[in-house]
Amino acid sequence: MKKYLNLVAPIAVILPAIALSGCDTPQSGTPHQAAQPQGFEQAYQSISSEDLRQYTKVISSDEFEGRSPTSPGEKKTLDYLTSEFKKLGLQPGNGDSFLQPVELLEITADPDITLNIGDETLPYGENMMLSTSREQELVELKDSDVVFVGYGINAPEYDWNDYAGLDVKGKTVIILVNDPGFENPDSGKFQGKTMTYYGRWTYKYEEASRQGAEAAIIVHETEPASYGWSVVANSWSGPQYGLVKQNGNMDRVAAEGWIAHEVAQNLFRHAGFNFEEEKAKAMQGPYSQALNIKASATIKSTLKKSDSYNVIATLPGSSAPDEHIIYTAHWDHLGKDPSLKGDQIYNGAQDNASGTAAALTMAKAFASLDTPPARSVSFLVVTAEEQGLLGSKYYADHPIIPLAKTVANINMDAMNILGKTKDVTVVGKGKSELEDYLEKAAKRQGRYLVEEDKPQAGYYYRSDHFSFAKKGVPALYAEGGSEPIDEATAQYRKRTSLITTGCYHQVCDEFREKWDFSGVQQDTQLLFEVGYDIANSTDWPQWSKSSEFQRPAQ
């Protein structure tokens, strides 16, 4: 479960408003067959399973201690990555440095928190989670009026505003998870079952903050959330990370959290309302209802600031070096847990030593070209993805390469270790013209594009490419599909899935010699060709008209 910091305006409003000066007027267009300098085919074929295997094995080894930000494992990881990029012949991406400092704020809430709301006294963890993103050791919520605000969405392009005519300053808002299309897919509202960013819990806290609310609490329901209560409880306990901000994040709601579905039902009943009836009204159109009850809570937190680093390396373009294609991956994972018996290291082999390995292997292929691509190609390997996309968010807020000169972002996160596939899964399929380039490269491999199997889970908003998308830079996230290339691969896939299923964010996500890296190779070659074609094109790929993101107006 991922945490992000707040935007400063509704997504539909902020993207066109971002001023990106100095950019040539982007031209829409589909990919064309670029004139390929001698060496493309050799570079493409040089992307080997063995390189990918070796990089993954090294980066996920115990020596790197689980790669937790600000830990000794980070220092070892940074030293390794900068050394490898130097060996490959890439240049430092940040002046004379391969590193970009990222100042992190660690907030650990005292679990002795009680939320008093109406007639309910809710203990921390069991069916209520509460914390703060503010840089404050003590946050108090006192007799705050409670208002149900439906889905908590302000989306002009969908003609939807749950806050219309409502003053929630100083109040506590109760919000439904997901967006109005999920449970009413035939209504024509939003994008049906496919979640928009308005359905993500991160957006709901951001919007509540913009509206001036004092606290924002989301009602958890497993199906629309796409995960159970245990995920909420595990993700929101212990240290939580954010970026250090000059204002101490005081523009954020003071308290943010979750309550379980049954708690909401009891709460509404005691307030004289039926939760399911109120939810049904909220599904039909913008809706709010004062509950005529109060909320109080005290949150005590321990604060700690520390520095972590993004890694950025660049292969300068041969004729348009100021224009960049940026590949992203995250180097971090969850570190060590000394309280565990036996294995204490979260090695993060698939998530995301494999994506970092793909970045290094791809950099090697680009560096081997006889003639560099026309545009520059940069590799941004970020920190603190697991803490809420913080490294990529910091970069997007403090770009080294101007966003106006960033043609596209291509993301690599948790590569396919289950063998070659006939299909390519496009997360957030239909969002941009980058998929035209992807389709061309997929056809070269005899593959076809498919939608992710759970678009309602909103995975497009849960990895580092999203930090670029929020700023209007077209961003692609594609990965191995689900249809094995042959029967032998199908049998391997079944065997391996039995071992790896359930290893997400667990100590069992560790390198295995029996892993088949041919699927990782296949996808790395695929994304190499996408970036190569864009880098040798004069096109500026655009978002689709149905996307909630758009390039800023020039």
Side-chain angles (χ1 to χ4, degrees):
M1 190 171 177
K2 309 294 187 185
K3 290 197 171 186
Y4 315 91
L5 296 186
N6 59 303
L7 302 176
V8 295
I11 204 83
V13 175
I14 187 170
L15 297 182
I18 298 170
L20 299 181
S21 61
C23 180
D24 295 334
T25 302
Q27 299 297 317
S28 173
T30 56
H32 53 270
Q33 185 68 34
Q36 297 181 348
Q38 184 179 359
F40 169 81
E41 185 64 32
Q42 294 93 321
Y44 183 94
Q45 297 299 337
S46 74
I47 295 172
S48 70
S49 293
E50 189 50 45
D51 281 347
L52 291 159
R53 172 185 296 275
Q54 187 61 27
Y55 280 134
T56 302
K57 182 177 182 178
V58 171
I59 295 167
S60 64
S61 67
D62 285 355
E63 180 184 354
F64 289 80
E65 303 180 45
R67 308 187 307 282
S68 178
T70 76
S71 72
E74 167 166 4
K75 177 64 165 58
K76 295 175 183 178
T77 304
L78 298 178
D79 288 347
Y80 179 76
L81 293 177
T82 55
S83 173
E84 290 303 309
F85 279 125
K86 284 180 183 177
K87 287 179 186 177
L88 297 175
L90 272 71
Q91 296 183 5
N94 187 17
D96 59 357
S97 176
F98 284 96
L99 304 179
Q100 180 189 39
V102 179
E103 192 174 11
L104 300 178
L105 174 65
E106 178 184 314
I107 304 177
T108 306
D110 186 332
D112 186 21
I113 300 172
T114 299
L115 172 63
N116 297 301
I117 184 167
D119 293 331
E120 297 280 325
T121 299
L122 306 174
Y124 179 85
E126 294 179 14
N127 48 28
M128 179 276 293
M129 299 300 296
L130 201 65
S131 65
T132 185
S133 292
R134 292 184 176 181
E135 194 176 323
Q136 288 183 297
E137 293 183 346
L138 176 64
V139 170
E140 293 184 288
L141 186 68
K142 295 183 178 180
D143 293 327
S144 172
D145 290 331
V146 179
V147 182
F148 174 56
V149 293
Y151 287 93
I153 291 173
N154 177 15
E157 72 273 32
Y158 290 109
D159 194 26
W160 194 286
N161 185 2
D162 289 310
Y163 291 97
L166 192 62
D167 182 3
V168 296
K169 289 181 174 60
K171 298 178 181 179
T172 295
V173 293
I174 304 292
I175 311 171
L176 298 172
V177 74
N178 213 307
D179 63 42
F182 175 77
E183 291 183 87
N184 198 6
D186 297 326
S187 66
K189 295 179 172 64
F190 289 71
Q191 294 183 20
K193 283 280 188 180
T194 299
M195 183 188 288
T196 66
Y197 183 54
Y198 296 111
R200 287 288 290 153
W201 57 268
T202 49
Y203 164 81
K204 295 174 188 292
Y205 295 138
E206 293 161 4
E207 187 59 44
S209 300
R210 288 189 285 269
Q211 296 290 336
E214 190 69 8
I217 299 174
I218 297 173
V219 178
H220 173 267
E221 295 184 78
T222 297
E223 189 175 0
S226 80
Y227 41 78
W229 177 260
S230 63
V231 174
V232 176
N234 292 338
S235 298
W236 281 67
S237 57
Q240 305 296 308
Y241 289 83
L243 296 174
V244 174
K245 296 175 64 178
Q246 282 190 331
N247 67 357
N249 224 16
M250 293 300 291
D251 55 350
R252 185 81 167 196
V253 291
E256 52 197 54
W258 297 75
I259 55 174
H261 181 213
E262 58 270 23
V263 169
Q265 292 174 316
N266 292 336
L267 181 68
F268 276 58
R269 183 171 58 252
H270 291 161
F273 297 92
N274 180 289
F275 174 77
E276 304 303 335
E277 291 178 358
E278 293 300 299
K279 177 181 175 180
K281 294 175 184 177
M283 289 171 58
Q284 299 306 311
Y287 184 73
S288 63
Q289 175 63 57
L291 298 183
N292 302 315
I293 56 177
K294 307 279 189 181
S296 298
T298 299
I299 304 171
K300 297 178 181 179
S301 302
T302 302
L303 308 179
K304 178 184 176 182
K305 293 181 180 180
S306 53
D307 287 329
S308 187
Y309 296 87
N310 293 330
V311 179
I312 183 166
T314 296
L315 179 69
S318 57
S319 60
D322 59 333
E323 298 177 4
H324 288 248
I325 286 78
I326 298 182
Y327 286 93
T328 47
H330 71 91
W331 60 256
D332 67 299
H333 199 56
L334 304 181
K336 298 170 62 176
D337 184 354
S339 69
L340 295 178
K341 293 182 179 179
D343 191 356
Q344 298 180 337
I345 299 177
Y346 292 86
N347 299 90
Q350 187 177 15
D351 182 21
N352 185 37
S354 66
T356 304
L360 289 169
T361 304
M362 203 177 295
K364 180 180 179 181
F366 273 109
S368 73
L369 290 166
D370 294 342
T371 302
R375 289 164 161 162
S376 295
V377 178
S378 290
F379 294 88
L380 177 65
V381 191
V382 298
T383 183
E385 188 270 355
E386 303 291 3
Q387 285 73 34
L389 314 187
L390 297 183
S392 60
K393 184 183 189 306
Y394 182 87
Y395 178 87
D397 288 340
H398 306 85
I400 295 169
I401 300 157
L403 296 179
K405 296 295 185 180
T406 303
V407 181
N409 167 243
I410 301 169
N411 190 43
M412 298 170 290
D413 193 353
M415 304 294 282
N416 171 34
I417 48 85
L418 297 177
K420 288 185 176 181
T421 63
K422 297 178 182 179
D423 53 342
V424 179
T425 298
V426 185
V427 181
K429 191 172 185 293
K431 287 195 180 295
S432 81
E433 293 175 351
L434 292 175
E435 292 170 32
D436 296 331
Y437 291 85
L438 183 68
E439 185 173 30
K440 169 189 171 293
K443 285 181 178 178
R444 175 188 180 88
Q445 298 180 337
R447 303 169 76 188
Y448 56 92
L449 308 186
V450 297
E451 184 181 46
E452 61 199 291
D453 61 356
K454 287 186 177 180
Q456 64 271 27
Y459 289 118
Y460 188 83
Y461 314 104
R462 296 162 71 170
S463 192
D464 291 304
H465 60 281
F466 178 56
S467 296
F468 286 85
K470 283 195 294 185
K471 298 294 188 180
V473 176
L476 178 68
Y477 183 27
E479 55 191 3
S482 59
E483 187 177 356
I485 196 167
D486 53 31
E487 181 58 30
T489 302
Q491 293 303 315
Y492 161 78
R493 191 182 186 94
K494 288 180 182 178
R495 295 193 304 272
T496 305
S497 292
L498 288 174
I499 299 171
T500 59
T501 296
C503 286
Y504 173 70
H505 285 191
Q506 304 298 322
V507 294
C508 59
D509 181 10
E510 54 189 5
F511 176 83
R512 290 173 169 81
E513 291 289 350
K514 292 185 178 181
W515 275 356
D516 176 2
F517 273 77
S518 64
V520 185
Q521 176 191 30
Q522 186 185 39
D523 291 342
T524 304
Q525 288 175 324
L526 178 82
L527 297 179
F528 169 77
E529 182 167 345
V530 172
Y532 178 89
D533 281 350
I534 301 171
N536 280 298
S537 169
T538 59
D539 294 339
W540 285 77
Q542 302 295 303
W543 294 100
S544 63
K545 292 181 180 179
S546 62
S547 171
E548 62 268 59
F549 313 109
Q550 296 298 324
R551 279 195 185 274
Q554 300 303 312

